[in-house]
Amino acid sequence: MYRILTKKILTPSVSLMEIEAPLITRHAKPGQFIMLRVDEDGERLPFTLADIQRDKGTISIIFQVVGASTYLLNQLHPGDELADLVGPLGKPSELDHLDKVLVIGGGLGCAIAYPLVRECFDRQKVVHSIIGFREKAVVFMAEEFSKKSQRSLLLTDDGSLGEKGLVTEALERWLAEGETYDAIYAIGPLQMMKAVADLTRPKGIKTIVSMNPIMVDGTGMCGGCRVQVGGKVKFACVDGPEFDGHEVDFDEAIIRNQMYVQNEKSQYDHVCRLKRNDAK
Amino acid sequence: MNGSLKKTPMPVQDPRDRIHNFQEVALGYNEDQAKVEAERCLQCKTRPCVAGCPVGIQIPDFLAAIIRQDYLAAYRIISRDSLLPAVCGRVCPQETQCEALCVRGKKGEPVGIGYCERFVADWYFQHVSTENTLIQSNHRKVAVVGSGPAGLSCAYDLCLKGYDVEVYEALHLPGGVLAYGIPEFRLPKAIVKREIDRLEQLGVKIHKNVIVGKTLLIDDLFEEGVQAVFLGTGAGLPNFMQIPGEMLNGVYSANEYLTRVNLMKAADKRSATPIFLAKHVAVVGGGNVALDAARSAKRLGAETVTILYRRSMKELPARKEEVDHAVEEGILFRTLTNPIAITGDEKGFVKSVECVKMLLGTIDASGRPRPIPDPNSTHKIDADAVIIAVGTTPNPLIMQTSQLETNRWGCIVTRNDSGLTSRDFVYAGGDVVTGAATVILAMGAGRKAAEAIDKDLCPTQ
């Protein structure tokens, strides 16, 4: 059904999986996402497409182990099958009218930022990238970014790899140097996307962010993923996941992401305990 | 003949027990009870009940078969017209359809047609494992989009007529609203599965995890040799109230709440899907969906569950039987009450609902008295979760890629009663055409479309 073909460990907690899903590759485009279930009791998890290999009939996702479900997903290996996989969902990135783009990735967001960079690069656009991570141990795909960007910069919060600092600091510097962009994509933690949007808003630079709220079905049915954009309620799954960063109510989105934090923590501990016991 | 003015009562699970479990509330007739109830039928020549059934089940005939204790015959009579008797026997609003027209209802209670239908369906599944139905294929392919009541009944009829039917379902489980919407205690999922299994045994292929309009387009289906497409994609997009505070944590659409509980089994410890276990739940709306959400919340351990409805008890659109069950279970009804805002705590979680009292005015376009807010009646109701059940509209996903004409409510426009859309060989029926309605009306629309498809594809017959 949905067989895992390859798995690459990018960092101790981030993996790339290439999954057989020929039907999905038919219309899938960069910026869209899929939902999958690891097993019959699994929740539906959204993942933005990291790659679409139409000739092979496969798609790739990059995920970080953040809770019980991603922990279980990370337990799977090539040859294993997923219970369910559906997509492509959401709207594709709109790149046609852009000639020069800056892509800013933060942490796991780089998994989604990279396909955008590659897409722009392969379509002969000018693309720059700034990527930021907490520390050296969690850096992934930095080389790919530099290969596919005319200008790129890697930062870590503690300076253990690349330059020390925040992506916003680098952005400010580049803009001060006179760089101009048709659009800036910011993909990463909500706080980072908010900081980028706050910085570009007064300068009037179009800024697009990719929202990753809590979802159940991913098809517009539940409304759990609602975000306020320009004072209007939007469903990230069907109206997004990309929105105008200057219009998104980030503070509200940050609060909404806290809905199940307690629940997720206890479930994660529970699953890890079970797995440890199994191993014994 | 049984001259009793009252229906044979339906045995139910004790309310004190059932608020702690998700097992079915109504337990079903035994053979004796079914026979006694069937004997109340007058077998009248005019058969008003049949006219009241959206799929036209020959009701007096199957009741007569029950009296003869020939339950297999009873089942076959029903299944000539309906694929889902075990479902309809449970969730159909018989009181406004077949039973509303029953002659016995003129003096006393009508015959318990729904209860008898349920008995027959349950008997069949307990006693008959597989039946071989030989169908002569006509080698024509039809695609059905959506596996809810409309799609399933359309697929069933087309399959019996010899079509090669492929059903496409967006979710990981077929059944549509039967799977994600109606809770286990009213419609056990094993029953839905059984009815769908039967369809698959007949040769209908169900492809789950395929969103037509996203994964595949209608054009793709035609390119692959499909000769007609039926859209039964339902009304899955939840309405919110557009009042302040709806973005707070703990505010759910009824769709989300019920999907978490039903489809994702959030109440089951093994399930990874979380649900917020609220102590005080307010449910906005007065339809069956509102009641389903309220009663689910109760079963998840809420201390108080309050229905907020803007009209009075008399106008409550939910089925009376469900309202009675909800009252027995301790669900509180605050009628003539409408929320105007939801307030939250400093962490962004729901704390209370601000409401106004409503007065009833003159009869409006819906045939019910128009509720008018009384501005001097603002009051607060404590709640840590609010479930919004004020209706749904069709999911626009499929319309975005298929150039189909829709009306201002987002419903697909059909050219006539048969469900033909603005595009040739594309038909639609059920909630996607009418807006949110009932299971049986959707089934009726699926049947009609099947008939029209057959006429258009095989005009010589």
Side-chain angles (χ1 to χ4, degrees):
Chain A
M1 283 292 276
Y2 312 100
R3 202 153 49 95
I4 298 163
L5 292 186
T6 57
K7 180 179 173 185
K8 241 200 264 177
I9 313 283
L10 301 180
T11 77
S13 71
V14 176
S15 302
L16 178 145
M17 264 181 190
E18 185 184 353
I19 306 159
E20 219 169 42
L23 208 54
I24 290 170
T25 63
R26 192 159 172 169
H27 296 291
K29 294 199 176 76
Q32 291 188 294
F33 68 98
I34 56 107
M35 296 207 82
L36 64 81
R37 290 201 315 151
V38 175
D39 55 43
E40 279 309 312
D41 298 318
E43 58 184 325
R44 295 170 65 95
L45 301 170
F47 295 101
T48 301
L49 289 161
D51 204 357
I52 305 152
Q53 298 96 334
R54 195 154 300 148
D55 48 335
K56 285 163 78 185
T58 63
I59 54 123
S60 298
I61 57 162
I62 294 175
F63 64 93
Q64 183 173 24
V65 177
V66 290
S69 297
T70 41
Y71 177 88
L72 291 173
L73 179 60
N74 203 33
Q75 299 287 307
L76 300 181
H77 299 288
D80 290 341
E81 288 186 357
L82 299 168
D84 298 288
L85 195 132
V86 65
L89 296 156
K91 292 185 173 158
S93 306
E94 288 173 30
L95 301 168
D96 287 351
H97 55 293
L98 304 175
D99 296 321
K100 190 180 174 192
V101 180
L102 169 65
V103 178
I104 302 174
L108 186 68
C110 292
I112 309 164
Y114 175 64
L116 256 170
V117 168
R118 188 188 48 208
E119 177 80 5
C120 290
F121 190 84
D122 292 348
R123 286 169 67 175
Q124 270 84 49
K125 294 172 191 289
V126 178
V127 56
H128 294 176
S129 61
I130 299 173
I131 54 173
F133 294 90
R134 212 171 57 244
E135 52 176 347
K136 185 181 174 185
V138 297
V139 174
F140 65 91
M141 293 180 95
E143 255 175 60
E144 282 92 334
F145 274 96
S146 72
K147 255 189 239 162
K148 295 275 182 183
S149 321
Q150 282 85 356
R151 185 180 185 188
S152 68
L153 179 66
L154 163 69
L155 303 120
T156 49
D157 294 356
D158 62 356
S160 51
L161 191 68
E163 204 176 287
K164 181 179 174 172
L166 301 173
V167 293
T168 40
E169 291 163 5
L171 167 64
E172 229 171 341
R173 200 171 67 221
W174 285 18
L175 293 176
E177 286 169 12
E179 290 281 12
T180 55
Y181 299 102
D182 296 333
I184 294 176
Y185 274 83
I187 304 174
L190 289 167
Q191 293 287 8
M192 183 210 91
M193 296 195 286
K194 183 187 179 202
V196 171
D198 286 346
L199 205 154
T200 57
R201 190 180 293 109
K203 301 183 198 302
I205 309 167
K206 183 176 174 180
T207 300
I208 299 151
V209 297
S210 181
M211 302 299 283
N212 191 10
I214 294 165
M215 283 183 191
V216 184
D217 61 293
T219 65
M221 209 179 82
C222 80
C225 66
R226 55 201 192 276
V227 281
Q228 275 203 72
V229 183
K232 288 203 177 80
V233 175
K234 300 276 181 189
F235 288 6
C237 67
V238 290
D239 302 319
E242 290 177 3
F243 292 107
D244 181 344
H246 296 155
E247 302 274 325
V248 169
D249 185 338
F250 284 105
D251 293 334
E252 189 176 77
I254 289 166
I255 289 172
R256 286 185 64 77
N257 257 13
Q258 299 300 308
M259 180 73 204
Y260 297 107
V261 166
Q262 270 310 357
N263 204 304
E264 271 158 19
K265 168 127 186 35
S266 63
Q267 197 150 23
Y268 180 60
D269 293 344
H270 176 70
V271 166
C272 292
R273 212 164 34 240
L274 282 182
K275 285 282 163 182
R276 266 200 303 275
N277 290 344
D278 281 356
K280 278 178 204 162
Chain B
M1 237 290 280
N2 170 355
S4 166
L5 293 182
K6 287 208 169 285
K7 270 187 200 175
T8 311
M10 168 62 85
V12 294
Q13 217 196 125
D14 190 307
R16 283 165 301 184
D17 297 331
R18 72 184 191 231
I19 57 167
H20 301 297
N21 67 55
F22 273 87
Q23 284 149 34
E24 203 173 6
V25 170
L27 302 171
Y29 281 166
N30 60 28
E31 287 192 34
D32 292 338
Q33 289 163 324
K35 186 165 185 287
V36 167
E37 187 57 23
E39 280 170 341
R40 292 185 62 230
C41 174
L42 299 173
Q43 293 290 325
C44 38
K45 289 226 163 51
T46 52
R47 306 192 155 207
C49 54
V50 178
C53 174
V55 295
I57 293 172
Q58 297 300 314
I59 293 160
D61 294 347
F62 94 74
L63 292 174
I66 291 178
I67 298 169
R68 296 196 307 272
Q69 290 173 295
D70 188 352
Y71 308 125
L72 186 61
Y75 185 80
R76 290 198 174 129
I77 291 163
I78 298 173
S79 60
R80 278 205 303 260
D81 300 296
S82 170
L83 166 71
L84 308 169
V87 172
C88 293
R90 288 171 166 84
V91 304
C92 252
Q94 290 97 5
E95 63 277 12
T96 61
Q97 297 177 156
C98 53
E99 293 182 17
L101 300 173
C102 175
V103 175
R104 291 298 303 260
K106 285 181 184 158
K107 199 180 150 202
E109 290 180 347
V111 176
I113 298 168
Y115 293 167
C116 289
E117 181 186 24
R118 171 187 163 150
F119 164 78
V120 170
D122 288 356
W123 179 92
Y124 177 84
F125 284 114
Q126 276 156 25
H127 293 86
V128 184
S129 51
T130 45
E131 252 194 303
N132 284 326
T133 314
L134 216 60
I135 301 167
Q136 185 77 37
S137 169
N138 68 7
H139 307 291
R140 287 169 192 272
K141 261 171 92 171
V142 177
V144 169
V145 183
S147 67
L152 290 177
S153 72
C154 184
Y156 178 63
D157 278 13
L158 288 169
C159 172
L160 292 184
K161 290 179 203 288
Y163 289 86
D164 186 357
V165 186
E166 310 233 351
V167 178
Y168 296 91
E169 167 57 46
L171 294 173
H172 58 261
L173 204 69
V177 74
L178 309 175
Y180 73 76
I182 305 176
E184 181 78 17
F185 57 83
R186 206 149 74 78
L187 180 64
K189 299 308 141 210
I191 283 164
V192 179
K193 186 177 180 304
R194 247 167 26 190
E195 308 239 42
I196 293 171
D197 284 351
R198 200 164 72 85
L199 193 64
E200 288 187 291
Q201 277 168 21
L202 288 172
V204 170
K205 282 185 218 78
I206 300 181
H207 305 274
K208 54 179 195 169
N209 295 325
V210 179
I211 305 170
V212 174
K214 284 277 182 192
T215 318
L216 291 174
L217 308 181
I218 291 181
D219 291 332
D220 295 330
L221 299 173
F222 282 119
E223 269 169 37
E224 278 162 18
V226 159
Q227 297 187 357
V229 176
F230 173 77
L231 305 175
T233 49
L237 201 71
N239 293 337
F240 285 88
M241 299 193 71
Q242 322 299 340
I243 59 173
E246 275 186 310
M247 295 294 280
L248 289 164
N249 285 342
V251 179
Y252 285 98
S253 71
N255 259 9
E256 178 180 357
Y257 196 80
L258 290 170
T259 300
R260 283 180 184 274
V261 176
N262 299 328
L263 181 74
M264 303 312 297
K265 316 236 172 313
D268 187 330
K269 280 203 170 59
R270 280 172 308 180
S271 167
T273 302
I275 187 136
F276 176 55
L277 299 175
K279 283 199 170 68
H280 304 285
V281 179
V283 181
V284 185
N288 286 320
V289 175
L291 263 64
D292 284 346
R295 296 170 69 196
S296 295
K298 187 85 189 176
R299 283 160 172 77
L300 286 169
E303 288 164 26
T304 64
V305 181
T306 311
I307 296 259
L308 306 176
Y309 178 57
R310 58 190 185 147
R311 292 188 173 93
S312 76
M313 239 18 213
K314 214 174 75 197
E315 288 86 22
L316 213 62
R319 292 189 63 198
K320 190 180 171 299
E321 185 172 342
E322 305 305 332
V323 177
D324 292 345
H325 283 164
V327 170
E328 287 167 13
E329 289 166 11
I331 307 293
L332 307 169
F333 287 80
R334 286 217 192 192
T335 53
L336 296 168
T337 302
N338 205 33
I340 50 170
I342 304 165
T343 45
D345 63 15
E346 63 290 344
K347 285 183 175 160
F349 281 75
V350 171
K351 215 173 124 190
S352 62
V353 189
E354 214 172 291
C355 299
V356 280
K357 292 304 270 180
M358 305 294 272
L359 306 163
L360 290 184
T362 48
I363 304 293
D364 67 10
S366 74
R368 299 170 297 179
R370 196 162 65 90
I372 305 157
D374 173 1
N376 300 320
S377 63
T378 314
H379 59 287
K380 266 188 181 175
I381 295 167
D382 285 342
D384 51 359
V386 179
I387 303 170
I388 314 280
V390 295
T392 53
T393 53
N395 193 318
L397 275 186
I398 195 151
M399 280 75 106
Q400 286 165 0
T401 56
S402 58
Q403 302 94 39
L404 293 171
E405 197 189 325
T406 52
N407 66 19
R408 63 191 168 110
W409 296 282
C411 299
I412 295 179
V413 174
T414 55
R415 281 190 239 174
N416 51 39
D417 202 31
S418 69
L420 186 63
T421 67
S422 55
R423 195 170 158 178
D424 286 345
F425 299 106
V426 178
Y427 306 75
D431 286 3
V432 75
V433 170
T434 57
T438 62
V439 168
I440 190 72
L441 284 172
M443 287 176 61
R447 287 208 87 183
K448 271 194 182 150
E451 212 172 295
I453 289 169
D454 186 40
K455 245 190 219 153
D456 292 351
L457 294 187
C458 302
T460 46
Q461 284 167 14

